[in-house]
Amino acid sequence: MLRVLAIMAALVVSLSACDTAAPSRSAGIEGNTVMYRMLDSVNELRAAAGAPAVQLDARLNAAAATHSRDMSVQNRPWHFGSDGSSPIDRVARTGYPGLMLGETISETFETELETLAAWMQQEDTRDIILDRRARNMGFGWYREPNGKLWWTLVMGS
C-alpha cells in the first residue's frame, strides 16, 4: 500500500508540472482540454493503484457542472444543493442508470490538477477517485468573475 501511495504521489507531482491553464468561462476547446486532462490524470492514478480506467459520462458531467454552479450561488463548498438535493438526487435527475459511488468537491483558485492533487492527499476523496467499482466519471466546474473556481467530480458504476 505504501508503494502505491508513493507511485501516486510521484504521478501527482509530475502531472502538476504539466501545462495547467485554468478553464475558461466558455465551454470551448480549452474547457474540453481541462475535462480530458482531468480524465487522463484520474486514469493514470487509477492505473497506478490497480483500478480500471473510467470514461466520461455526459449525465454525470451534467450533475457535476450543475452542482459546481450551485455551490457558487450558495457560496459554500458542500454536497447539498440549494434545493436540498443530495449527490444521489442530482445524479438520478440526469437519468444515469448506474450507481453513484461518490462525489468530491472543492472551492479554490487552483487548477484542476492542483485540485486533484489535494483530493488525492485526503483519504475520503482519494477513496472515491480510486474506487475499483467505478466505470464512469463526471467532472464539472464553475468559474466566478473574480476567478474563484468551484470543482465537482462524480464517480459512478
Side-chain angles (χ1 to χ4, degrees):
M1 183 63 179
L2 186 57
R3 181 177 162 195
V4 170
L5 287 176
I7 291 170
M8 287 189 303
L11 280 170
V12 168
V13 168
S14 66
L15 289 172
S16 295
C18 297
D19 176 25
T20 58
S24 66
R25 292 182 69 200
S26 68
I29 294 171
E30 188 179 42
N32 287 336
T33 300
V34 168
M35 187 168 289
Y36 287 107
R37 191 165 44 220
M38 178 61 93
L39 176 65
D40 291 345
S41 299
V42 165
N43 279 331
E44 287 292 325
L45 292 166
R46 290 175 61 80
V54 293
Q55 61 185 358
L56 289 172
D57 182 272
R59 294 160 292 203
L60 295 179
N61 288 341
T66 299
H67 190 56
S68 292
R69 184 170 181 80
D70 191 44
M71 285 189 297
S72 171
V73 169
Q74 296 181 72
N75 196 33
R76 62 178 167 179
W78 74 324
H79 294 283
F80 294 95
S82 56
D83 62 355
S85 63
S86 71
I88 294 169
D89 297 331
R90 288 189 297 277
V91 167
R93 286 180 194 160
T94 69
Y96 180 71
L99 177 66
M100 196 285 296
L101 298 171
E103 176 183 79
T104 63
I105 58 172
S106 184
E107 162 196 23
T108 183
F109 287 93
E110 298 175 337
T111 67
E112 75 283 358
L113 295 183
E114 291 169 314
T115 301
L116 178 58
W119 285 337
M120 292 302 290
Q121 291 175 11
Q122 299 293 327
E123 184 178 359
D124 58 342
T125 53
R126 181 177 56 245
D127 288 349
I128 291 167
I129 293 166
L130 300 180
D131 190 327
R132 293 178 186 277
R133 299 172 297 165
R135 297 298 179 265
N136 301 114
M137 181 181 100
F139 180 62
W141 66 89
Y142 178 74
R143 181 195 295 237
E144 293 181 354
N146 67 3
K148 181 191 255 183
L149 291 155
W150 299 84
W151 303 98
T152 305
L153 184 143
V154 180
M155 290 295 205
S157 66

